[in-house]
mmCIF file of all heavy atoms in Angstrom:
data_model
loop_
_atom_site.group_PDB
_atom_site.id
_atom_site.type_symbol
_atom_site.label_atom_id
_atom_site.label_comp_id
_atom_site.label_asym_id
_atom_site.label_seq_id
_atom_site.Cartn_x
_atom_site.Cartn_y
_atom_site.Cartn_z
ATOM 1 N N GLU S 186 80.952 159.033 162.740
ATOM 2 C CA GLU S 186 80.427 160.392 162.566
ATOM 3 C C GLU S 186 81.369 161.428 163.159
ATOM 4 O O GLU S 186 81.571 162.506 162.584
ATOM 5 C CB GLU S 186 79.042 160.498 163.205
ATOM 6 C CG GLU S 186 77.994 159.639 162.501
ATOM 7 C CD GLU S 186 76.678 159.604 163.259
ATOM 8 O OE1 GLU S 186 76.585 160.278 164.317
ATOM 9 O OE2 GLU S 186 75.737 158.908 162.814
ATOM 10 N N LEU S 187 81.965 161.108 164.322
ATOM 11 C CA LEU S 187 82.902 162.043 164.956
ATOM 12 C C LEU S 187 84.165 162.213 164.122
ATOM 13 O O LEU S 187 84.733 163.318 164.053
ATOM 14 C CB LEU S 187 83.260 161.567 166.364
ATOM 15 C CG LEU S 187 82.159 161.703 167.417
ATOM 16 C CD1 LEU S 187 82.572 161.024 168.716
ATOM 17 C CD2 LEU S 187 81.849 163.184 167.686
ATOM 18 N N MET S 188 84.623 161.136 163.478
ATOM 19 C CA MET S 188 85.814 161.241 162.630
ATOM 20 C C MET S 188 85.553 162.170 161.446
ATOM 21 O O MET S 188 86.425 162.978 161.062
ATOM 22 C CB MET S 188 86.218 159.846 162.129
ATOM 23 C CG MET S 188 86.900 158.967 163.169
ATOM 24 S SD MET S 188 88.467 159.662 163.777
ATOM 25 C CE MET S 188 89.440 159.722 162.280
ATOM 26 N N GLU S 189 84.339 162.072 160.874
ATOM 27 C CA GLU S 189 83.988 162.964 159.772
ATOM 28 C C GLU S 189 83.936 164.424 160.238
ATOM 29 O O GLU S 189 84.405 165.327 159.543
ATOM 30 C CB GLU S 189 82.637 162.552 159.186
ATOM 31 C CG GLU S 189 82.665 161.205 158.481
ATOM 32 C CD GLU S 189 81.287 160.786 158.005
ATOM 33 O OE1 GLU S 189 80.340 161.581 158.201
ATOM 34 O OE2 GLU S 189 81.152 159.678 157.457
ATOM 35 N N GLU S 190 83.365 164.625 161.429
ATOM 36 C CA GLU S 190 83.278 165.996 161.955
ATOM 37 C C GLU S 190 84.661 166.548 162.272
ATOM 38 O O GLU S 190 84.955 167.724 162.007
ATOM 39 C CB GLU S 190 82.401 166.015 163.208
ATOM 40 C CG GLU S 190 82.148 167.432 163.722
ATOM 41 C CD GLU S 190 81.216 167.471 164.918
ATOM 42 O OE1 GLU S 190 80.768 166.381 165.361
ATOM 43 O OE2 GLU S 190 80.940 168.583 165.420
ATOM 44 N N LYS S 191 85.526 165.708 162.820
ATOM 45 C CA LYS S 191 86.898 166.140 163.127
ATOM 46 C C LYS S 191 87.619 166.560 161.852
ATOM 47 O O LYS S 191 88.374 167.552 161.829
ATOM 48 C CB LYS S 191 87.652 165.001 163.809
ATOM 49 C CG LYS S 191 89.106 165.348 164.120
ATOM 50 C CD LYS S 191 89.849 164.146 164.683
ATOM 51 C CE LYS S 191 91.325 164.483 164.881
ATOM 52 N NZ LYS S 191 92.105 163.330 165.379
ATOM 53 N N LEU S 192 87.384 165.811 160.786
ATOM 54 C CA LEU S 192 88.028 166.129 159.513
ATOM 55 C C LEU S 192 87.573 167.490 159.011
ATOM 56 O O LEU S 192 88.389 168.288 158.513
ATOM 57 C CB LEU S 192 87.676 165.032 158.495
ATOM 58 C CG LEU S 192 88.430 165.058 157.176
ATOM 59 C CD1 LEU S 192 89.917 164.812 157.391
ATOM 60 C CD2 LEU S 192 87.867 164.005 156.219
ATOM 61 N N ARG S 193 86.281 167.794 159.139
ATOM 62 C CA ARG S 193 85.778 169.097 158.694
ATOM 63 C C ARG S 193 86.314 170.239 159.545
ATOM 64 O O ARG S 193 86.780 171.258 159.038
ATOM 65 C CB ARG S 193 84.244 169.115 158.737
ATOM 66 C CG ARG S 193 83.570 168.254 157.690
ATOM 67 C CD ARG S 193 82.087 168.601 157.554
ATOM 68 N NE ARG S 193 81.375 168.457 158.822
ATOM 69 C CZ ARG S 193 80.811 167.336 159.235
ATOM 70 N NH1 ARG S 193 80.874 166.242 158.479
ATOM 71 N NH2 ARG S 193 80.168 167.282 160.390
ATOM 72 N N LEU S 194 86.250 170.056 160.880
ATOM 73 C CA LEU S 194 86.692 171.124 161.786
ATOM 74 C C LEU S 194 88.183 171.382 161.664
ATOM 75 O O LEU S 194 88.648 172.532 161.740
ATOM 76 C CB LEU S 194 86.338 170.751 163.228
ATOM 77 C CG LEU S 194 84.848 170.767 163.579
ATOM 78 C CD1 LEU S 194 84.618 170.160 164.963
ATOM 79 C CD2 LEU S 194 84.288 172.192 163.517
ATOM 80 N N GLY S 195 88.945 170.321 161.475
ATOM 81 C CA GLY S 195 90.400 170.474 161.381
ATOM 82 C C GLY S 195 90.856 171.072 160.075
ATOM 83 O O GLY S 195 92.016 171.487 159.956
ATOM 84 N N ASN S 196 89.973 171.111 159.064
ATOM 85 C CA ASN S 196 90.341 171.655 157.761
ATOM 86 C C ASN S 196 89.415 172.815 157.374
ATOM 87 O O ASN S 196 89.084 172.993 156.202
ATOM 88 C CB ASN S 196 90.266 170.554 156.699
ATOM 89 C CG ASN S 196 91.326 169.492 156.884
ATOM 90 O OD1 ASN S 196 92.462 169.651 156.449
ATOM 91 N ND2 ASN S 196 90.953 168.415 157.558
ATOM 92 N N PHE S 197 89.007 173.620 158.382
ATOM 93 C CA PHE S 197 88.061 174.718 158.154
ATOM 94 C C PHE S 197 88.593 175.709 157.114
ATOM 95 O O PHE S 197 87.892 176.075 156.164
ATOM 96 C CB PHE S 197 87.782 175.451 159.471
ATOM 97 C CG PHE S 197 87.020 176.733 159.276
ATOM 98 C CD1 PHE S 197 85.642 176.710 159.095
ATOM 99 C CD2 PHE S 197 87.688 177.967 159.250
ATOM 100 C CE1 PHE S 197 84.949 177.889 158.896
ATOM 101 C CE2 PHE S 197 86.988 179.137 159.059
ATOM 102 C CZ PHE S 197 85.615 179.115 158.890
ATOM 103 N N GLU S 198 89.826 176.162 157.280
ATOM 104 C CA GLU S 198 90.372 177.194 156.385
ATOM 105 C C GLU S 198 90.433 176.704 154.947
ATOM 106 O O GLU S 198 90.094 177.423 154.007
ATOM 107 C CB GLU S 198 91.766 177.620 156.854
ATOM 108 C CG GLU S 198 91.759 178.393 158.171
ATOM 109 C CD GLU S 198 93.151 178.875 158.553
ATOM 110 O OE1 GLU S 198 94.094 178.662 157.759
ATOM 111 O OE2 GLU S 198 93.291 179.457 159.641
ATOM 112 N N LYS S 199 90.858 175.445 154.773
ATOM 113 C CA LYS S 199 90.960 174.889 153.432
ATOM 114 C C LYS S 199 89.581 174.794 152.785
ATOM 115 O O LYS S 199 89.410 175.133 151.605
ATOM 116 C CB LYS S 199 91.604 173.508 153.514
ATOM 117 C CG LYS S 199 91.859 172.861 152.174
ATOM 118 C CD LYS S 199 92.581 171.524 152.345
ATOM 119 C CE LYS S 199 92.832 170.879 150.982
ATOM 120 N NZ LYS S 199 93.535 169.580 151.114
ATOM 121 N N LEU S 200 88.581 174.337 153.555
ATOM 122 C CA LEU S 200 87.220 174.231 153.040
ATOM 123 C C LEU S 200 86.658 175.598 152.641
ATOM 124 O O LEU S 200 86.107 175.776 151.555
ATOM 125 C CB LEU S 200 86.305 173.605 154.107
ATOM 126 C CG LEU S 200 86.213 172.084 154.167
ATOM 127 C CD1 LEU S 200 85.438 171.673 155.409
ATOM 128 C CD2 LEU S 200 85.522 171.561 152.911
ATOM 129 N N PHE S 201 86.806 176.585 153.557
ATOM 130 C CA PHE S 201 86.238 177.918 153.309
ATOM 131 C C PHE S 201 86.866 178.558 152.086
ATOM 132 O O PHE S 201 86.168 179.125 151.224
ATOM 133 C CB PHE S 201 86.441 178.810 154.530
ATOM 134 C CG PHE S 201 85.713 180.120 154.443
ATOM 135 C CD1 PHE S 201 84.385 180.228 154.873
ATOM 136 C CD2 PHE S 201 86.329 181.243 153.895
ATOM 137 C CE1 PHE S 201 83.716 181.435 154.775
ATOM 138 C CE2 PHE S 201 85.650 182.447 153.791
ATOM 139 C CZ PHE S 201 84.337 182.546 154.241
ATOM 140 N N SER S 202 88.196 178.458 151.968
ATOM 141 C CA SER S 202 88.906 179.076 150.848
ATOM 142 C C SER S 202 88.495 178.441 149.525
ATOM 143 O O SER S 202 88.252 179.147 148.538
ATOM 144 C CB SER S 202 90.415 178.926 151.063
ATOM 145 O OG SER S 202 91.122 179.429 149.957
ATOM 146 N N ALA S 203 88.401 177.126 149.504
ATOM 147 C CA ALA S 203 88.046 176.437 148.267
ATOM 148 C C ALA S 203 86.623 176.786 147.832
ATOM 149 O O ALA S 203 86.373 177.059 146.648
ATOM 150 C CB ALA S 203 88.174 174.926 148.466
ATOM 151 N N LEU S 204 85.672 176.833 148.768
ATOM 152 C CA LEU S 204 84.278 177.147 148.429
ATOM 153 C C LEU S 204 84.139 178.601 147.982
ATOM 154 O O LEU S 204 83.304 178.919 147.116
ATOM 155 C CB LEU S 204 83.372 176.866 149.629
ATOM 156 C CG LEU S 204 83.234 175.383 150.007
ATOM 157 C CD1 LEU S 204 82.426 175.236 151.289
ATOM 158 C CD2 LEU S 204 82.571 174.611 148.881
ATOM 159 N N GLN S 205 84.948 179.486 148.598
ATOM 160 C CA GLN S 205 84.930 180.899 148.208
ATOM 161 C C GLN S 205 85.370 181.058 146.752
ATOM 162 O O GLN S 205 84.728 181.773 145.965
ATOM 163 C CB GLN S 205 85.883 181.688 149.124
ATOM 164 C CG GLN S 205 85.860 183.190 148.916
ATOM 165 C CD GLN S 205 84.741 183.860 149.689
ATOM 166 O OE1 GLN S 205 83.819 183.193 150.151
ATOM 167 N NE2 GLN S 205 84.819 185.174 149.814
ATOM 168 N N ASP S 206 86.438 180.313 146.403
ATOM 169 C CA ASP S 206 86.934 180.389 145.029
ATOM 170 C C ASP S 206 85.926 179.825 144.039
ATOM 171 O O ASP S 206 85.729 180.370 142.949
ATOM 172 C CB ASP S 206 88.260 179.628 144.894
ATOM 173 C CG ASP S 206 89.399 180.333 145.613
ATOM 174 O OD1 ASP S 206 89.255 181.532 145.931
ATOM 175 O OD2 ASP S 206 90.437 179.673 145.874
ATOM 176 N N VAL S 207 85.275 178.712 144.426
ATOM 177 C CA VAL S 207 84.287 178.097 143.538
ATOM 178 C C VAL S 207 83.125 179.056 143.291
ATOM 179 O O VAL S 207 82.688 179.259 142.145
ATOM 180 C CB VAL S 207 83.764 176.766 144.135
ATOM 181 C CG1 VAL S 207 82.565 176.253 143.345
ATOM 182 C CG2 VAL S 207 84.865 175.719 144.149
ATOM 183 N N TYR S 208 82.650 179.697 144.364
ATOM 184 C CA TYR S 208 81.502 180.598 144.214
ATOM 185 C C TYR S 208 81.855 181.812 143.357
ATOM 186 O O TYR S 208 81.076 182.213 142.490
ATOM 187 C CB TYR S 208 81.002 181.046 145.581
ATOM 188 C CG TYR S 208 79.779 181.931 145.488
ATOM 189 C CD1 TYR S 208 78.525 181.375 145.193
ATOM 190 C CD2 TYR S 208 79.871 183.311 145.656
ATOM 191 C CE1 TYR S 208 77.407 182.176 145.075
ATOM 192 C CE2 TYR S 208 78.752 184.120 145.535
ATOM 193 C CZ TYR S 208 77.529 183.548 145.258
ATOM 194 O OH TYR S 208 76.424 184.348 145.129
ATOM 195 N N HIS S 209 83.036 182.367 143.604
ATOM 196 C CA HIS S 209 83.453 183.533 142.813
ATOM 197 C C HIS S 209 83.627 183.166 141.350
ATOM 198 O O HIS S 209 83.353 183.977 140.458
ATOM 199 C CB HIS S 209 84.754 184.109 143.366
ATOM 200 C CG HIS S 209 84.539 184.908 144.618
ATOM 201 N ND1 HIS S 209 85.570 185.250 145.480
ATOM 202 C CD2 HIS S 209 83.409 185.433 145.176
ATOM 203 C CE1 HIS S 209 85.083 185.940 146.495
ATOM 204 N NE2 HIS S 209 83.764 186.065 146.335
ATOM 205 N N SER S 210 84.087 181.945 141.103
ATOM 206 C CA SER S 210 84.272 181.522 139.713
ATOM 207 C C SER S 210 82.943 181.434 138.981
ATOM 208 O O SER S 210 82.852 181.714 137.790
ATOM 209 C CB SER S 210 84.953 180.147 139.662
ATOM 210 O OG SER S 210 86.242 180.217 140.207
ATOM 211 N N LEU S 211 81.914 181.046 139.714
ATOM 212 C CA LEU S 211 80.612 180.875 139.086
ATOM 213 C C LEU S 211 79.792 182.158 139.076
ATOM 214 O O LEU S 211 79.162 182.506 138.070
ATOM 215 C CB LEU S 211 79.820 179.772 139.803
ATOM 216 C CG LEU S 211 80.366 178.349 139.666
ATOM 217 C CD1 LEU S 211 79.585 177.405 140.558
ATOM 218 C CD2 LEU S 211 80.301 177.896 138.215
ATOM 219 N N SER S 212 79.772 182.868 140.250
ATOM 220 C CA SER S 212 78.836 183.991 140.377
ATOM 221 C C SER S 212 79.496 185.285 140.848
ATOM 222 O O SER S 212 78.815 186.282 141.028
ATOM 223 C CB SER S 212 77.716 183.623 141.368
ATOM 224 O OG SER S 212 77.067 182.456 140.952
ATOM 225 N N GLY S 213 80.801 185.254 141.071
ATOM 226 C CA GLY S 213 81.473 186.438 141.595
ATOM 227 C C GLY S 213 81.948 187.353 140.485
ATOM 228 O O GLY S 213 81.285 187.513 139.461
ATOM 229 N N ASP S 214 83.194 187.875 140.675
ATOM 230 C CA ASP S 214 83.723 188.836 139.716
ATOM 231 C C ASP S 214 83.925 188.213 138.339
ATOM 232 O O ASP S 214 83.751 188.883 137.308
ATOM 233 C CB ASP S 214 85.062 189.402 140.225
ATOM 234 C CG ASP S 214 84.860 190.191 141.525
ATOM 235 O OD1 ASP S 214 83.717 190.664 141.747
ATOM 236 O OD2 ASP S 214 85.830 190.297 142.316
ATOM 237 N N ASN S 215 84.297 186.947 138.323
ATOM 238 C CA ASN S 215 84.543 186.299 137.027
ATOM 239 C C ASN S 215 83.239 185.967 136.301
ATOM 240 O O ASN S 215 83.203 185.853 135.080
ATOM 241 C CB ASN S 215 85.356 185.011 137.216
ATOM 242 C CG ASN S 215 86.749 185.309 137.767
ATOM 243 O OD1 ASN S 215 87.364 186.309 137.400
ATOM 244 N ND2 ASN S 215 87.229 184.428 138.639
ATOM 245 N N ARG S 216 82.175 185.766 137.087
ATOM 246 C CA ARG S 216 80.830 185.550 136.581
ATOM 247 C C ARG S 216 80.779 184.526 135.454
ATOM 248 O O ARG S 216 80.363 184.794 134.326
ATOM 249 C CB ARG S 216 80.189 186.849 136.129
ATOM 250 C CG ARG S 216 80.158 187.896 137.240
ATOM 251 C CD ARG S 216 79.162 188.992 137.015
ATOM 252 N NE ARG S 216 77.787 188.546 136.856
ATOM 253 C CZ ARG S 216 76.981 188.257 137.876
ATOM 254 N NH1 ARG S 216 77.398 188.320 139.126
ATOM 255 N NH2 ARG S 216 75.725 187.872 137.639
ATOM 256 N N GLY S 217 81.264 183.319 135.822
ATOM 257 C CA GLY S 217 81.266 182.227 134.841
ATOM 258 C C GLY S 217 79.863 181.877 134.377
ATOM 259 O O GLY S 217 79.647 181.544 133.214
ATOM 260 N N LEU S 218 78.882 181.982 135.283
ATOM 261 C CA LEU S 218 77.507 181.662 134.905
ATOM 262 C C LEU S 218 76.961 182.654 133.870
ATOM 263 O O LEU S 218 76.139 182.281 133.020
ATOM 264 C CB LEU S 218 76.603 181.664 136.145
ATOM 265 C CG LEU S 218 76.600 180.367 136.969
ATOM 266 C CD1 LEU S 218 75.771 180.554 138.233
ATOM 267 C CD2 LEU S 218 76.044 179.212 136.151
ATOM 268 N N ASP S 219 77.407 183.957 133.941
ATOM 269 C CA ASP S 219 76.938 184.946 132.959
ATOM 270 C C ASP S 219 77.371 184.550 131.551
ATOM 271 O O ASP S 219 76.599 184.675 130.591
ATOM 272 C CB ASP S 219 77.479 186.335 133.292
ATOM 273 C CG ASP S 219 76.776 186.936 134.507
ATOM 274 O OD1 ASP S 219 75.748 186.350 134.925
ATOM 275 O OD2 ASP S 219 77.262 187.943 135.031
ATOM 276 N N TRP S 220 78.621 184.096 131.434
ATOM 277 C CA TRP S 220 79.114 183.686 130.114
ATOM 278 C C TRP S 220 78.343 182.465 129.590
ATOM 279 O O TRP S 220 78.023 182.386 128.407
ATOM 280 C CB TRP S 220 80.611 183.363 130.184
ATOM 281 C CG TRP S 220 81.463 184.597 130.352
ATOM 282 C CD1 TRP S 220 82.095 185.020 131.470
ATOM 283 C CD2 TRP S 220 81.726 185.559 129.347
ATOM 284 N NE1 TRP S 220 82.754 186.206 131.245
ATOM 285 C CE2 TRP S 220 82.558 186.562 129.932
ATOM 286 C CE3 TRP S 220 81.342 185.710 127.990
ATOM 287 C CZ2 TRP S 220 83.002 187.666 129.220
ATOM 288 C CZ3 TRP S 220 81.812 186.820 127.280
ATOM 289 C CH2 TRP S 220 82.627 187.779 127.904
ATOM 290 N N ILE S 221 78.038 181.526 130.508
ATOM 291 C CA ILE S 221 77.271 180.357 130.075
ATOM 292 C C ILE S 221 75.852 180.783 129.693
ATOM 293 O O ILE S 221 75.265 180.278 128.736
ATOM 294 C CB ILE S 221 77.236 179.288 131.180
ATOM 295 C CG1 ILE S 221 78.648 178.775 131.464
ATOM 296 C CG2 ILE S 221 76.333 178.114 130.795
ATOM 297 C CD1 ILE S 221 78.741 177.849 132.665
ATOM 298 N N GLY S 222 75.286 181.764 130.467
ATOM 299 C CA GLY S 222 73.953 182.267 130.142
ATOM 300 C C GLY S 222 73.924 182.951 128.783
ATOM 301 O O GLY S 222 72.947 182.823 128.030
ATOM 302 N N LEU S 223 75.002 183.697 128.473
ATOM 303 C CA LEU S 223 75.087 184.351 127.168
ATOM 304 C C LEU S 223 75.121 183.311 126.048
ATOM 305 O O LEU S 223 74.439 183.458 125.028
ATOM 306 C CB LEU S 223 76.335 185.237 127.122
ATOM 307 C CG LEU S 223 76.592 185.959 125.781
ATOM 308 C CD1 LEU S 223 75.432 186.913 125.448
ATOM 309 C CD2 LEU S 223 77.925 186.748 125.842
ATOM 310 N N ALA S 224 75.907 182.254 126.283
ATOM 311 C CA ALA S 224 75.979 181.181 125.276
ATOM 312 C C ALA S 224 74.616 180.532 125.085
ATOM 313 O O ALA S 224 74.210 180.213 123.953
ATOM 314 C CB ALA S 224 77.009 180.137 125.721
ATOM 315 N N MET S 225 73.887 180.367 126.185
ATOM 316 C CA MET S 225 72.551 179.759 126.108
ATOM 317 C C MET S 225 71.616 180.657 125.289
ATOM 318 O O MET S 225 70.837 180.173 124.453
ATOM 319 C CB MET S 225 72.003 179.558 127.529
ATOM 320 C CG MET S 225 70.610 178.943 127.569
ATOM 321 S SD MET S 225 70.035 178.680 129.268
ATOM 322 C CE MET S 225 69.913 180.394 129.825
ATOM 323 N N SER S 226 71.690 181.973 125.502
ATOM 324 C CA SER S 226 70.827 182.916 124.779
ATOM 325 C C SER S 226 71.128 182.926 123.285
ATOM 326 O O SER S 226 70.212 182.956 122.444
ATOM 327 C CB SER S 226 70.995 184.326 125.349
ATOM 328 O OG SER S 226 70.597 184.354 126.699
ATOM 329 N N GLN S 227 72.402 182.906 122.950
ATOM 330 C CA GLN S 227 72.807 182.911 121.544
ATOM 331 C C GLN S 227 72.321 181.655 120.823
ATOM 332 O O GLN S 227 71.847 181.717 119.685
ATOM 333 C CB GLN S 227 74.330 183.037 121.434
ATOM 334 C CG GLN S 227 74.875 184.374 121.883
ATOM 335 C CD GLN S 227 74.402 185.520 120.985
ATOM 336 O OE1 GLN S 227 74.127 185.356 119.794
ATOM 337 N NE2 GLN S 227 74.231 186.713 121.571
ATOM 338 N N LEU S 228 72.450 180.498 121.520
ATOM 339 C CA LEU S 228 71.984 179.249 120.909
ATOM 340 C C LEU S 228 70.466 179.255 120.742
ATOM 341 O O LEU S 228 69.931 178.731 119.760
ATOM 342 C CB LEU S 228 72.403 178.049 121.763
ATOM 343 C CG LEU S 228 73.850 177.609 121.617
ATOM 344 C CD1 LEU S 228 74.205 176.567 122.683
ATOM 345 C CD2 LEU S 228 74.104 177.031 120.217
ATOM 346 N N GLU S 229 69.772 179.901 121.706
ATOM 347 C CA GLU S 229 68.313 179.953 121.629
ATOM 348 C C GLU S 229 67.860 180.770 120.418
ATOM 349 O O GLU S 229 66.859 180.451 119.774
ATOM 350 C CB GLU S 229 67.757 180.548 122.914
ATOM 351 C CG GLU S 229 66.241 180.548 122.954
ATOM 352 C CD GLU S 229 65.702 181.131 124.267
ATOM 353 O OE1 GLU S 229 66.489 181.802 124.989
ATOM 354 O OE2 GLU S 229 64.508 180.918 124.557
ATOM 355 N N SER S 230 68.663 181.815 120.092
ATOM 356 C CA SER S 230 68.271 182.707 118.992
ATOM 357 C C SER S 230 68.392 182.025 117.631
ATOM 358 O O SER S 230 67.764 182.466 116.655
ATOM 359 C CB SER S 230 69.129 183.984 119.013
ATOM 360 O OG SER S 230 70.485 183.675 118.723
ATOM 361 N N VAL S 231 69.203 180.985 117.539
ATOM 362 C CA VAL S 231 69.378 180.314 116.233
ATOM 363 C C VAL S 231 68.840 178.891 116.253
ATOM 364 O O VAL S 231 69.009 178.144 115.281
ATOM 365 C CB VAL S 231 70.874 180.312 115.828
ATOM 366 C CG1 VAL S 231 71.361 181.736 115.561
ATOM 367 C CG2 VAL S 231 71.719 179.609 116.869
#
């Protein structure tokens, strides 16, 4: 358990940066989820 915790603490910046990019890709400025939602709405209409 300590080895796993050491791995997380020692790679804090890498973890934070990667999660920030993932969130922005889905719900941030790029709003990937909005495009998927639009596709879902269009398919629902037909």
Side-chain angles (χ1 to χ4, degrees):
E186 294 172 2
L187 288 172
M188 285 298 298
E189 293 176 2
E190 186 177 1
K191 178 185 175 182
L192 190 64
R193 290 195 302 271
L194 290 171
N196 292 277
F197 170 80
E198 291 184 4
K199 184 177 180 180
L200 273 171
F201 189 87
S202 176
L204 292 174
Q205 186 84 345
D206 290 343
V207 170
Y208 182 75
H209 283 164
S210 296
L211 293 173
S212 303
D214 296 336
N215 296 323
R216 304 199 58 82
L218 277 175
D219 287 349
W220 288 105
I221 297 172
L223 178 62
M225 179 178 66
S226 298
Q227 292 295 331
L228 281 170
E229 184 179 16
S230 66
V231 294

